[in-house]
Amino acid sequence: EQRRHNYYRQAFIKRLSEEFGAVVVATNGGGWTVLESTAAAEDAFPIIPVVETGRFASFLSHLVAKADVWQKVKYDDEKLITALMPLIDSIPEVSAREAVKNDFQRNDLYRTELIEFLQTVDLSTITPHRIHTLESAIVAKLTPPDKDYRGRV
């Protein structure tokens, strides 16, 4: 049910984004956020995880900084799972670390979706930001190079 809902949601966003663009802002996040981020990655939409908001967003922020740990093994499920556990254990925020670890170890759907996300995403589309830089990050991602929309989000 989640996948079907997300498929239609992403199709709708893709249609709307043809003229204006789209960006995914990930705050906190569990399974739904992983699904939405995977769909965004498939369509090469920019993904902005908000640093220190917990769970998947904190994991994404950490993931970008530690790309060397998992990029080499991203297409081998077993090696990727092995590489992810120390990466999850090193998330700086204790509550985010415990939530992601719990989701990853106990929820098969979450683990499957997370692996699919990691195998799909282009790291250059992920740009972590803090809440106070979020507005300017969104504007920067959505503003065509020949336009200037600063201050009008």
Side-chain angles (χ1 to χ4, degrees), residues 6 64 115 118 145:
N6 197 61
V64 172
I115 289 168
L118 294 173

Side-chain angles (χ1 to χ4, degrees), residues 26 30 41 62-63 67 80-81 85 90 93 95 104 121 126 129 135 137 143 152:
H62 189 60
L63 189 72
L80 182 56
I81 289 170
M85 283 316 299
S90 67
E93 298 166 65
S95 61
F104 188 75
V121 72
I126 303 174
H129 278 272
E135 181 178 350
T143 304
R152 291 181 272 154

Side-chain angles (χ1 to χ4, degrees), residues 27-74:
T27 59
N28 196 310
W32 277 99
T33 306
V34 177
L35 279 170
E36 291 170 358
S37 297
T38 301
E42 288 169 352
D43 290 328
F45 287 175
I47 301 169
I48 302 174
V50 180
V51 177
E52 296 179 357
T53 58
R55 293 178 76 183
F56 185 66
S58 293
F59 176 69
L60 278 182
S61 301
H62 189 60
L63 189 72
V64 172
K66 303 285 186 177
D68 59 314
V69 173
W70 63 273
Q71 280 290 94
K72 294 176 278 205
V73 297
K74 74 188 264 183

Side-chain angles (χ1 to χ4, degrees), residues 27 40 63-64 86 94 97 102 117 132 140:
T27 59
L63 189 72
V64 172
V94 175
R97 177 175 56 240
N102 185 51
F117 171 78
H132 65 277

Side-chain angles (χ1 to χ4, degrees), residues 70-131:
W70 63 273
Q71 280 290 94
K72 294 176 278 205
V73 297
K74 74 188 264 183
Y75 296 111
D76 182 327
D77 290 3
E78 291 303 314
K79 287 181 180 177
L80 182 56
I81 289 170
T82 302
L84 282 177
M85 283 316 299
L87 183 60
I88 291 169
D89 282 335
S90 67
I91 296 172
E93 298 166 65
V94 175
S95 61
R97 177 175 56 240
E98 294 307 313
V100 171
K101 182 189 275 187
N102 185 51
D103 288 340
F104 188 75
Q105 290 177 330
R106 297 190 176 136
N107 185 328
D108 290 338
L109 178 61
Y110 182 88
R111 184 173 44 256
T112 300
E113 291 300 329
L114 183 59
I115 289 168
E116 183 178 338
F117 171 78
L118 294 173
Q119 292 173 338
T120 303
V121 72
D122 173 356
L123 268 182
S124 68
T125 64
I126 303 174
T127 311
H129 278 272
R130 298 195 178 279
I131 195 72

Side-chain angles (χ1 to χ4, degrees), residues 6-17:
N6 197 61
Y7 171 81
Y8 289 114
R9 185 200 59 77
Q10 186 65 22
F12 180 71
I13 290 171
K14 196 172 177 180
R15 275 196 313 275
L16 288 176
S17 71

